[in-house]
Amino acid sequence: MEELEEMRQQLAALKDRLDKEKIVNDKLLRSSMKQKASVINRQRWISCIAAGFVIATMFTSFRPMGCSWGFCIGTSIFMVFCCAMTNWFHRDVSDEAMNEDLLTVAQNVSRLKHRYNEWIKYSIPMMIVWLAWLAYEFYKVADGEMVMFWTLVISAIVGGTIGGIWGYSMHRKVCRMCDEIVEQIEAAE
């Protein structure tokens, strides 16, 4: 009889330890998810700050250089639209959202990744149109002086290449963080 009682106590102690371990694992998982969500959301703010810098540059550099009001305002509207879309994409991936049940978190993070991958299909053509408009504006500013025109175009190509690489690396980082969060959730279940 004593052996049976001792086995019950050991079983209860083991069950208590397993419950505590589940709580610790859940806390570690949530902490890791919040850290990754913080990195994802930091990318959002970096993008919006970069958009603000572009808007400021339109009116402090490009307009005084001779670019049209239409180009400067059109670019500013494009940047505001991009920032708004980025914020809309991120609406379900905040620190508070990481406290939802794991299935909801996985769905929200997967949705963010899907939106990012869909957005790139639209943003690249928009950038091509914008770059063509920029080349046209530079042609007008150069007023037939081809050395100046090509200097401006090459500068834009270098800047666009750097910006494109930086933007695409941010895109990949967000998608990778989304994958890591979903993988952690799947491993925990």
Side-chain angles (χ1 to χ4, degrees), residues 127-146:
M127 285 302 300
I128 291 170
V129 169
W130 181 83
L131 288 170
W133 192 5
L134 178 65
Y136 173 73
E137 291 291 328
F138 284 168
Y139 183 76
K140 284 185 354 187
V141 167
D143 196 31
E145 190 178 322
M146 295 311 286

Side-chain angles (χ1 to χ4, degrees), residues 98-144:
M98 291 296 112
N99 291 325
E100 299 282 335
D101 65 282
L102 294 179
L103 180 61
T104 302
V105 171
Q107 289 172 339
N108 289 344
V109 170
S110 294
R111 194 176 308 124
L112 173 66
K113 181 183 176 191
H114 175 74
R115 288 175 183 150
Y116 258 69
N117 287 331
E118 286 298 307
W119 175 248
I120 206 163
K121 294 175 187 175
Y122 300 103
S123 61
I124 290 175
M126 286 189 293
M127 285 302 300
I128 291 170
V129 169
W130 181 83
L131 288 170
W133 192 5
L134 178 65
Y136 173 73
E137 291 291 328
F138 284 168
Y139 183 76
K140 284 185 354 187
V141 167
D143 196 31

Side-chain angles (χ1 to χ4, degrees), residues 68-171:
S68 69
W69 278 106
F71 177 73
C72 294
I73 292 171
T75 300
S76 298
I77 291 170
F78 178 60
M79 289 294 110
V80 169
F81 176 73
C82 289
C83 190
M85 291 301 293
T86 300
N87 282 313
W88 184 71
F89 291 165
H90 284 255
R91 71 186 183 280
D92 296 329
V93 183
S94 63
D95 282 342
E96 298 84 39
M98 291 296 112
N99 291 325
E100 299 282 335
D101 65 282
L102 294 179
L103 180 61
T104 302
V105 171
Q107 289 172 339
N108 289 344
V109 170
S110 294
R111 194 176 308 124
L112 173 66
K113 181 183 176 191
H114 175 74
R115 288 175 183 150
Y116 258 69
N117 287 331
E118 286 298 307
W119 175 248
I120 206 163
K121 294 175 187 175
Y122 300 103
S123 61
I124 290 175
M126 286 189 293
M127 285 302 300
I128 291 170
V129 169
W130 181 83
L131 288 170
W133 192 5
L134 178 65
Y136 173 73
E137 291 291 328
F138 284 168
Y139 183 76
K140 284 185 354 187
V141 167
D143 196 31
E145 190 178 322
M146 295 311 286
V147 173
M148 182 177 176
F149 169 72
W150 285 111
T151 302
L152 292 171
V153 168
I154 290 170
S155 299
I157 290 170
V158 170
T161 302
I162 292 169
I165 291 169
W166 178 60
Y168 189 67
S169 70
M170 285 177 53
H171 169 84

Side-chain angles (χ1 to χ4, degrees), residues 4-5 53 104 164:
L4 186 60
E5 187 60 35
F53 177 75
T104 302

Side-chain angles (χ1 to χ4, degrees), residues 35-46:
Q35 184 180 18
K36 288 177 183 3
S38 176
V39 170
I40 289 170
N41 284 313
R42 188 176 322 125
Q43 299 301 324
R44 167 178 64 173
W45 294 114
I46 290 170

Side-chain angles (χ1 to χ4, degrees), residues 170-182:
M170 285 177 53
H171 169 84
R172 288 185 47 152
K173 186 174 189 175
V174 167
C175 291
R176 187 180 71 245
M177 289 291 163
C178 289
D179 286 341
E180 289 176 10
I181 290 172
V182 171

